[in-house]
Amino acid sequence: MAPTAVEANSAPTIAPDKLTNGLNAKGEKFTVESFNAKKTTIEELRASLIHNGVLFFRNLLTKEDMDQITKECQQYLDEDIPWEGVCFPPQTRRISGLAYKSPTFRDKVIMNPQWLALSDSMLTLEDSAWFGEVQAKAAGRPINGGSVCFLIGPGATAQGLHRDNMIYHARFPRITPEEYTTGRDTGIALFLAGTKTTKGNGATRFVPGSHLGASGEEPSEENVQYGEMEPGDALIMFTSLHHAGSANTSNENRLVYTTFSCQGILRQFENQHIAIPREEAAKWDDETLRVLGYTECAPFLGGVDFMDPMVAIRGQKTGKRMDMTHLDVLTN
């Protein structure tokens, strides 16, 4: 059985000299591979992600798609105000709730079949359980954790390196790529370039291989690499990878759109049920609502009156009650 996402740090620790910031066991830099979204396979993406923690996913969207997403988001970016605190420089503008605010981003990115398949491959939790004499197997599929647009203006200073999985208080030991098992990571993230992203205008920087380090390890700027992309390209990484927005020393804006997938048993970082008006959600198809967390996570997580919450979203008064016999029953 795969370990749970928040399993205590009880596994044997790999010697510190076996894996350091951005270097593999041989002291070589991890290779960040680049894949063409039109030609690659999920198996290739999965293998690369497990080994390096990050990959480029080129040519995900067309220029026309990117122009439409930007058009749908522009009003909300104009309305945002400077951040107070350490998480974002004041030259940054943000909007969240892209599933509602940008239908094109929802349809083309959040619901992208390759992204969903990779999320399923990396984050689905499978287990079996007994209820008396009945044994049944259930698969808890991942859901969308949220989506954010960032516009980083000239003069913005660099973010500090961090791991996005900090929100789940996740604890995990240091390992090698060969020791990686599904269940270790709570989520994966996709960063979509809205404009050309360069080191000079603040491209996301990251430490390849840092997803293999232990929880609580202090990040280091040594061996960082930069997510330089053309509009429509994407960068995919585990949320356990050390990364950050970089300083914008240019005279141009950097625009990036992000979406996250998390394990279905976890609370989403963005509360979709409030971010999306209920009357709007009711218009969407069942699969979109499932991805956004509006259905139960098997076997019985997140129900309403012992029923799948889709019953309530569709305005029905009754539906099938959740029961072990509705799962993949293993006993006769």
Side-chain angles (χ1 to χ4, degrees):
M1 183 192 311
T4 61
V6 292
E7 183 177 33
N9 189 359
S10 58
T13 300
I14 303 301
D17 61 353
K18 202 170 183 183
L19 176 70
T20 56
N21 289 290
L23 301 179
N24 62 22
K26 298 179 180 179
E28 303 165 336
K29 286 187 177 182
F30 281 87
T31 300
V32 182
E33 297 180 292
S34 183
F35 299 91
N36 187 324
K38 311 303 180 187
K39 299 179 181 180
T40 191
T41 66
I42 300 305
E43 291 73 20
E44 290 175 323
L45 299 178
R46 174 184 168 86
S48 183
L49 198 60
I50 287 174
H51 190 274
N52 302 310
V54 57
L55 59 87
F56 286 105
F57 199 41
R58 306 287 187 184
N59 302 309
L60 178 59
L61 294 190
T62 65
K63 180 182 184 302
E64 290 72 25
D65 290 332
M66 297 309 307
D67 288 346
Q68 183 61 30
I69 291 172
T70 300
K71 179 180 179 181
E72 293 166 354
C73 292
Q74 191 61 56
Q75 170 192 344
Y76 303 102
L77 284 172
D78 294 340
E79 294 172 351
D80 192 35
I81 60 176
W83 187 272
E84 295 183 7
V86 300
C87 290
F88 302 103
Q91 295 87 351
T92 299
R93 296 293 180 269
R94 304 142 299 274
I95 58 173
S96 57
L98 298 185
Y100 169 58
K101 294 173 181 174
S102 174
T104 304
F105 186 85
R106 180 181 70 238
D107 295 341
K108 299 284 187 175
V109 182
I110 294 176
M111 297 304 298
N112 177 274
Q114 291 170 293
W115 170 244
L116 294 180
L118 181 61
S119 298
D120 275 334
S121 174
M122 301 308 313
L123 302 174
T124 296
L125 298 173
E126 296 182 327
D127 198 3
S128 63
W130 288 88
F131 200 101
E133 297 180 351
V134 176
Q135 184 188 25
K137 182 172 66 175
R141 297 179 65 188
I143 55 177
N144 181 262
S147 51
V148 185
C149 171
F150 296 105
L151 187 149
I152 296 84
T157 55
Q159 270 189 321
L161 289 170
H162 59 280
R163 285 169 162 159
D164 285 336
N165 69 354
M166 70 172 79
I167 63 176
Y168 295 122
H169 304 272
R171 301 177 64 189
F172 40 86
R174 177 186 285 267
I175 62 170
T176 62
E178 294 73 24
E179 294 170 308
Y180 189 92
T181 56
T182 301
R184 172 181 169 92
D185 275 279
T186 58
I188 55 177
L190 183 151
F191 296 74
L192 176 69
T195 58
K196 184 179 179 69
T197 64
T198 66
K199 181 179 178 180
N201 69 14
T204 300
R205 68 191 188 284
F206 49 85
V207 184
S210 57
H211 67 302
L212 302 171
S215 53
E217 289 187 2
E218 183 177 358
S220 171
E221 294 286 344
E222 186 180 7
N223 298 315
V224 296
Q225 297 187 37
Y226 292 83
E228 296 190 311
M229 299 181 285
E230 297 293 332
D233 289 344
L235 184 72
I236 295 177
M237 67 177 69
F238 282 123
T239 55
S240 59
L241 194 86
H242 283 133
H243 71 285
S246 302
N248 188 344
T249 59
S250 73
N251 59 1
E252 58 192 20
N253 291 325
R254 177 177 72 93
L255 185 63
V256 64
Y257 301 89
T258 66
T259 192
F260 300 82
S261 287
C262 67
Q263 291 174 338
I265 61 172
L266 298 176
R267 183 174 181 174
Q268 295 152 291
F269 90 82
E270 180 178 61
N271 192 322
Q272 302 287 8
H273 309 95
I274 294 177
I276 303 169
R278 183 169 176 174
E279 61 274 14
E280 182 67 20
K283 302 174 185 177
W284 299 350
D285 63 86
D286 287 0
E287 179 62 8
T288 297
L289 293 181
R290 182 201 67 76
V291 169
L292 292 170
Y294 282 80
T295 59
E296 66 169 329
C297 179
F300 309 123
L301 189 62
V304 176
D305 292 331
F306 298 100
M307 296 179 288
D308 191 298
M310 286 289 289
V311 172
I313 290 294
R314 296 305 183 207
Q316 302 167 1
K317 294 186 180 297
T318 60
K320 182 183 290 186
R321 297 288 180 91
M322 298 183 293
D323 190 81
M324 288 287 283
T325 57
H326 300 155
L327 304 176
D328 184 5
V329 177
L330 303 177
T331 50
N332 295 325

